[in-house]
Amino acid sequence: MKTKITEMFGIEHPVIQGGMHYVGFAEMAAAVSNAGGLGIITGLTQRTPEDLAKEIEKCKGMTDKPFGVNLTFLPGFAAPDYPGYIKAIIDGGVKIVETAGRSPEAYLPALKEAGIKVIHKCTSVRHSLKAERIGCDAVSVDGFECGGHPGEDDIPNMILLPRAAEELKIPFVASGGMGNAQQLVAALALGADGINMGRSEEHTSELQSPVPISYAVFCFKKKKKKTKTTYY
């Protein structure tokens, strides 16, 4: 399948791994990329830029396919060493960065100069248009169904995605409640160029999270079998 997202990122399927804290390790990112999607290492899960550099190298040893790094800009008094993390990304040769939280505008010049494509998470059309205006290459439009970043407008994807399609000129992916082929087709029909999928990938054998998410979910459903990361 070809969409603007697959062509932009050089991937086979328009599926991006969600940048989830304590889930987006090299093992998961490599598995998603090897399956034809876009794997994502979660930058701030790594305690230091040096740790991120090691995780990037580890991922490069597990896949020769494109993968990205998520970098969330958090408000607070003690900000992480964002310039250090960005340097690790650039030095590691990563060419795709997913940003979230606050606007990435202050860090875009360094990323763009290094030839990195930036996709920014947005929970509204107005934020998506701002991301487009400041120079982001794509956006992840996160409906109210999205875990971890629901925004404040409480707008679900059935309403948000068509509105984004009407307004945006850059490609966008749908995020929130996306977990199977039917939902991918629905997102494409609503105007998206792909999907951002997170929770489904937490149920795979590549999960490295210290929290036994898969076990808890499958016990609740009275199932025990894990799945491998594959896309069809």
Side-chain angles (χ1 to χ4, degrees):
M1 178 184 295
K2 286 187 178 182
T3 71
K4 293 177 181 178
I5 285 293
T6 62
E7 293 178 350
M8 177 178 289
F9 296 142
I11 56 179
E12 185 178 355
H13 307 297
V15 178
I16 299 176
Q17 173 200 334
M20 297 170 287
H21 208 31
Y22 295 113
V23 174
F25 293 100
E27 290 83 357
M28 178 66 76
V32 172
S33 291
N34 285 332
L38 180 66
I40 298 287
I41 293 173
T42 309
L44 296 188
T45 293
Q46 304 301 318
R47 294 179 181 271
T48 67
E50 292 74 21
D51 290 336
L52 177 58
K54 292 176 183 177
E55 197 71 10
I56 289 170
E57 287 304 312
K58 183 178 181 182
C59 193
K60 288 166 69 175
M62 301 173 73
T63 184
D64 59 357
K65 304 291 181 65
F67 65 91
V69 172
N70 167 279
L71 201 53
T72 299
F73 299 110
L74 301 169
F77 294 108
D81 181 11
Y82 289 121
Y85 282 103
I86 289 172
K87 184 177 186 302
I89 291 168
I90 294 171
D91 291 348
V94 176
K95 292 300 181 184
I96 302 162
V97 167
E98 177 192 61
T99 58
R102 293 185 298 177
S103 170
E105 186 171 6
Y107 303 99
L108 281 179
L111 295 169
K112 289 290 189 177
E113 187 176 346
I116 292 173
K117 299 289 187 183
V118 176
I119 178 170
H120 185 59
K121 279 181 172 289
C122 301
T123 60
S124 67
V125 173
R126 66 182 183 278
H127 292 158
S128 300
L129 289 170
K130 173 66 180 297
E132 180 179 77
R133 189 161 59 250
I134 65 176
C136 291
D137 299 283
V139 291
S140 174
V141 176
D142 295 18
F144 189 56
E145 304 92 334
C146 183
H149 190 20
E152 299 177 350
D153 295 336
D154 298 2
I155 306 297
N157 274 323
M158 286 291 287
I159 298 170
L160 189 58
L161 298 180
R163 284 291 297 118
E166 288 175 351
E167 299 284 347
L168 290 170
K169 296 181 177 63
I170 59 174
F172 71 94
V173 299
S175 185
M178 302 295 159
N180 58 36
Q182 293 96 322
Q183 288 155 342
L184 169 60
V185 172
L188 295 175
L190 291 170
D193 299 288
I195 60 174
N196 189 316
M197 193 168 73
R199 212 59 66 197
S200 296
E201 288 159 351
E202 289 182 350
H203 309 155
T204 65
S205 58
E206 294 88 0
L207 179 70
Q208 299 295 310
S209 173
V211 182
I213 301 168
S214 298
Y215 182 74
V217 171
F218 278 101
C219 281
F220 179 76
K221 293 182 177 179
K222 296 182 179 180
K223 294 180 180 179
K224 294 182 180 179
K225 185 178 179 181
K226 285 187 175 183
T227 59
K228 294 291 286 184
T229 303
T230 56
Y231 300 126
Y232 301 94

